[in-house]
Amino acid sequence: MLDEKMRESLNFQLNRELYSGYLYLAMAAYFEDQDLPGFGNWMRIQGQEELSHAMKFYDYLVQKGSRVQLAEIETPQKEWDSPLAVFEQVYEHEKMVTGLINDLVDLAIELKDHATNNFLQWFVAEQVEEEESSSGVLHKVKMVGESNRGLYMLDQELGQRIAPTD
Ligand code: FEO
């Protein structure tokens, strides 16, 4: 059985992962509306990954015999000024999520909850990848600048992203 504060915090993170998925799906919709289907594809897959993250928290809570309590998911932003603005936000969002995961690890350590600490280590590693992939696309969007040709080519590249199988 989990400590109640640990349970609440993991349950809250489940909500944050769902919100991340919702935010990235909103970004996918923005790109699709901008006739950038490759960017939309990349963002759809990003959103799906967040739903799988949420389910990892869901499954862990169930596994520990703790009650999952779903809460409201706030409405995500709907419009952005440019692809650059979107990816600046994605990178900042992922850094914020890294902070939330680190706070959860701190709590698990404080509570001497080794099982939860071990569970969270997957997310610690995942956040390194999340920051790397979002900052990587951000860097490319910056390089493209105002070039429509560059944007078209980057759209082709991002359209190649394939959803992971696990
Ligand atoms: Fe669930 Fe993008 O971190």
Side-chain angles (χ1 to χ4, degrees):
M1 205 60 169
L2 290 166
D3 173 275
E4 182 53 19
K5 190 170 177 201
M6 193 79 252
R7 188 201 69 78
E8 271 179 23
S9 301
L10 292 169
N11 198 84
F12 177 72
Q13 188 62 31
L14 192 170
N15 178 275
R16 292 296 78 198
E17 300 289 346
L18 289 173
Y19 172 72
S20 297
Y22 214 29
L23 175 64
Y24 293 153
L25 190 58
M27 289 171 169
Y30 161 78
F31 282 128
E32 269 144 352
D33 187 55
Q34 298 284 311
D35 293 325
L36 290 168
F39 278 86
N41 171 67
W42 193 97
M43 212 51 91
R44 279 185 192 221
I45 292 171
Q46 191 70 13
Q48 286 167 12
E49 280 198 5
E50 300 303 343
L51 298 186
S52 80
H53 294 172
M55 288 310 296
K56 283 184 188 291
F57 283 98
Y58 182 105
D59 288 338
Y60 183 70
L61 285 162
V62 170
Q63 198 177 14
K64 294 294 285 180
S66 294
R67 187 76 169 89
V68 170
Q69 292 174 315
L70 298 179
E72 184 180 359
I73 304 166
E74 68 206 72
T75 304
Q77 189 174 332
K78 296 183 183 69
E79 297 297 339
W80 287 267
D81 290 339
S82 63
L84 177 62
V86 174
F87 274 93
E88 282 175 339
Q89 187 173 341
V90 172
Y91 183 45
E92 289 306 313
H93 186 76
E94 287 301 335
K95 286 194 287 185
M96 185 272 292
V97 172
T98 298
L100 292 174
I101 297 294
N102 288 344
D103 288 347
L104 288 171
V105 172
D106 287 346
L107 180 61
I109 290 170
E110 184 189 319
L111 294 170
K112 296 185 167 55
D113 183 346
H114 300 294
T116 301
N117 184 11
N118 183 57
F119 163 72
L120 290 167
Q121 291 308 308
W122 184 90
F123 285 93
V124 171
E126 174 69 4
Q127 282 311 119
V128 175
E129 285 184 23
E130 291 281 71
E131 287 190 30
E132 183 186 22
S133 67
S134 55
S135 72
V137 179
L138 174 58
H139 180 66
K140 288 177 182 175
V141 173
K142 280 181 178 168
M143 284 199 298
V144 162
E146 300 292 309
S147 161
N148 280 337
R149 181 178 160 81
L151 200 59
Y152 173 78
M153 291 180 70
L154 186 53
D155 191 61
Q156 299 287 308
E157 181 185 324
L158 297 182
Q160 303 299 313
R161 185 179 185 186
I162 297 168
T165 47
D166 71 334

